[in-house]
Amino acid sequence: MEADRVPPHPDVRTIPLQQVLEALVDPVRRSIVTRLCEASTDIRCGAFDLTVSNSTATHHFRILREAGLIRQYYVGTSRMNALRRDEINEAFPGLLDAIVAAGRTSPRPA
């Protein structure tokens, strides 16, 4: 039954670099990716300190998932988020490191 609730995830090898970069252009989405990159575990949607409405946050997570950057799954009623680090690093070497490094030197989104 849980598998029915897991949203579709694209094969990262089929995603154009343009789609990944467009997903990362938004500061809220970059902050999500940076937090996941620095986390030792997967993070539920509600645990991100985002300054946007729940519906806007859902939109941001969907854009990241459709760009192949995150994998989402359920644990009980919580939607969990995992960075697809190995797949992204294989398809786009150095991209995540550059995004995280840039995030450390830029102010957090308002």
Side-chain angles (χ1 to χ4, degrees), residues 27-29 31-32 35-36 43-54 57 61 108-110:
V28 171
R29 292 193 289 265
S31 73
I32 291 168
R35 174 118 185 260
L36 286 169
I43 304 172
R44 66 181 175 83
C45 290
F48 288 87
D49 185 24
L50 303 177
T51 57
V52 297
S53 68
N54 286 343
F61 285 113
R108 296 276 180 191

Side-chain angles (χ1 to χ4, degrees), residues 17-32:
L17 176 60
Q18 183 70 29
Q19 184 177 356
V20 175
L21 294 176
E22 287 172 1
L24 292 170
V25 75
D26 186 277
V28 171
R29 292 193 289 265
R30 281 195 313 273
S31 73
I32 291 168

Side-chain angles (χ1 to χ4, degrees), residues 6 11 14 18 26 34-35 53-54 67 72 87 92 99 104-105:
V6 175
D11 181 340
T14 65
Q18 183 70 29
D26 186 277
T34 298
R35 174 118 185 260
S53 68
N54 286 343
Q72 294 185 305
E87 295 164 273
F92 308 106
I99 293 300
R104 287 186 184 127
T105 59

Side-chain angles (χ1 to χ4, degrees), residues 2 5 8-10 24 27 30 32 35 39 41 54 60 64 67-68 88 103:
E2 289 288 320
R5 295 175 56 202
H9 296 89
L24 292 170
R30 281 195 313 273
I32 291 168
R35 174 118 185 260
T41 62
N54 286 343
H60 286 306
L64 291 171
I88 293 296

